[in-house]
Amino acid sequence: MNAVAVVEEREKLTKKALTADHPTWCPGCGDFAVLAAFYKVLEKRQLPHESIVTLAGIGCSSRFPYFVNTHGAHFIHGRAVPLASGVSLSRPDLHVFLFGGDGDGFSIGGNHLEHGARKNIRLTYVIMDNFVYGLTKKQTSPTSPIGYRSKTDPTGAIDQPVNPIKKLVAAGATFVARTHATQINHMMQMIERAMDHDGFSVVEVLSECVEFFPGAFDAGNPRKGGTFTVIDERKWDNSPEDEARHDVTDEMAAYRLASVPFPGLFGVFFEVDRPTKNALEGKWIAEAQAKFGGASDLEILQKTFDRLK
Ligand SMILES: Cc1ncc(C[n+]2csc(CCOP(=O)(O)OP(=O)(O)O)c2C)c(N)n1
Ligand code: SF4
Ligand SMILES: [Mg+2]
């Protein structure tokens, strides 16, 4: 009998297929644009639907997974990086996307962020930075500027804010970029480059909280009279003008660009190749399996426990 090849036709991944619940954000919230950019990137790239995972912590921005029809979870405040790390390490076949806010990422989750970055776990983390805790109705966040009046700083914030780019580069993230929620094409480019990066990739998106910090990012929005200055990256074309361009592998240059006063620069600050924990751990697991005659993870674990009895 002749074998009949069955070619399965995949349905095109459309915005409709990717849309879950209607977003519950306030009308005009910057997070809507981030969601729109994410849908567009997924539609453009046509990743297998079942391989996409969308994860988050807690916050307005962290409601993201509710609105995307993929595998996903809305987890504990600040614990999104460990959750995403576990998914990424145990299922290397999946594309792990993580979404969250400045509070979730830099306050309660700050330490987890550091460790995810230094371990270079393969995932893409989009931090929707609105310089405030939105969900809990206006507390000072680690990125709030000095002088910002909130419920926790009624006379104005007094603490030095975190510089997300410097923090991420210093922590060991291997791809660090910055964009603005009003610049949809740029935002898409940054998300695409982050997802193509093999390692811990982070995109900081300035995403306005229209309720508790209106106008916060007008200085970076040309339609509001601001300036959106994009980093001129090195092209390695041997031209004399290329010397002055930014080498994304130069850590010191990344810090210098990240020191430009607000609204700062937009684009890729840092991008280097370093082995991921996924690859290093994968090698280690393969070696252990070879030693145990091709046993499964569970069988190896059982054998190890048996030896301890
Ligand atoms: C363990 C814990 N501590 C505090 C809270 C309260 N809480 C929920 S969201 C949030 C901050 C959210 O700010 P951010 O991450 O910037 O997200 P945004 O709402 O601004 O998008 C806080 C403090 C909580 N849910 N769990
Ligand atoms: S409170 Fe702010 S961050 Fe939250 S949904 Fe409303 S505008 Fe967006
Ligand atoms: Mg916030």
Side-chain angles (χ1 to χ4, degrees):
M1 200 170 74
N2 283 338
V4 180
V6 181
V7 181
E8 258 189 60
E9 277 285 316
R10 263 196 175 269
E11 265 185 44
K12 205 163 182 280
L13 193 54
T14 57
K15 183 181 169 197
K16 191 163 174 248
L18 288 163
T19 305
D21 288 355
H22 183 72
T24 47
W25 294 311
C26 307
C29 175
D31 296 354
F32 279 102
V34 185
L35 182 64
F38 187 56
Y39 287 149
K40 275 179 184 273
V41 166
L42 294 183
E43 271 191 290
K44 179 176 169 203
R45 299 298 291 269
Q46 292 292 310
L47 300 177
H49 200 168
E50 69 282 3
S51 75
I52 308 165
V53 188
T54 315
L55 304 168
I58 298 283
C60 291
S61 40
S62 293
R63 297 186 67 78
F64 212 92
Y66 282 122
F67 315 137
V68 187
N69 182 27
T70 60
H71 297 299
H74 183 209
F75 197 50
I76 304 167
H77 190 36
R79 276 27 170 195
V81 170
L83 171 73
S85 301
V87 175
S88 172
L89 291 172
S90 58
R91 290 290 305 269
D93 53 317
L94 301 180
H95 292 267
V96 179
F97 294 95
L98 183 55
F99 292 88
D102 39 319
D104 195 72
F106 299 122
S107 277
I108 191 167
N111 207 22
H112 293 304
L113 179 70
E114 299 263 340
H115 294 291
R118 81 179 167 84
K119 292 176 186 179
N120 199 24
I121 290 163
R122 192 193 305 131
L123 56 87
T124 293
Y125 188 7
V126 177
I127 302 182
M128 293 135 91
D129 192 358
N130 55 10
F131 290 8
V132 64
Y133 292 178
L135 187 76
T136 45
K137 303 188 185 294
K138 203 179 188 180
Q139 291 82 24
T140 300
S141 100
T143 51
S144 302
I146 291 174
Y148 174 65
R149 288 173 192 263
S150 72
K151 287 184 184 138
T152 43
D153 276 305
T155 56
I158 52 172
D159 299 318
Q160 172 75 21
V162 159
N163 180 314
I165 305 298
K166 287 185 185 173
K167 181 177 167 76
L168 287 159
V169 173
T174 49
F175 179 95
V176 183
R178 185 169 184 261
T179 186
H180 194 297
T182 61
Q183 308 298 314
I184 195 104
N185 289 336
H186 189 262
M187 190 164 36
M188 283 178 65
Q189 277 170 27
M190 294 301 107
I191 296 174
E192 279 197 83
R193 278 187 62 180
M195 67 186 253
D196 287 340
H197 177 77
D198 187 17
F200 195 85
S201 55
V202 189
V203 181
E204 182 205 8
V205 184
L206 299 184
S207 177
E208 182 179 332
C209 172
V210 289
E211 192 66 26
F212 300 120
F213 204 161
F217 308 126
D218 286 359
N221 181 2
R223 267 174 290 162
K224 295 278 177 75
T227 46
F228 184 74
T229 312
V230 175
I231 293 171
D232 192 14
E233 274 178 59
R234 234 184 189 168
K235 299 187 170 63
W236 303 106
D237 58 4
N238 286 325
S239 66
E241 58 273 22
D242 206 35
E243 282 294 307
R245 295 191 181 119
H246 176 52
D247 171 3
V248 292
T249 65
D250 184 339
E251 190 171 342
M252 293 305 138
Y255 291 121
R256 278 195 297 278
L257 295 192
S259 302
V260 172
F262 186 77
L265 303 177
F266 299 90
V268 177
F269 287 74
F270 191 60
E271 183 173 16
V272 285
D273 283 330
R274 182 157 60 77
T276 59
K277 186 172 175 77
N278 306 63
L280 297 171
E281 204 174 74
K283 189 165 163 270
W284 187 40
I285 292 169
E287 281 166 10
Q289 280 177 331
K291 207 167 99 190
F292 284 92
S296 69
D297 300 7
L298 196 61
E299 286 163 344
I300 296 173
L301 199 62
Q302 189 60 56
K303 283 184 187 180
T304 309
F305 284 149
D306 290 345
R307 275 210 314 273
L308 299 175
K309 276 183 188 162

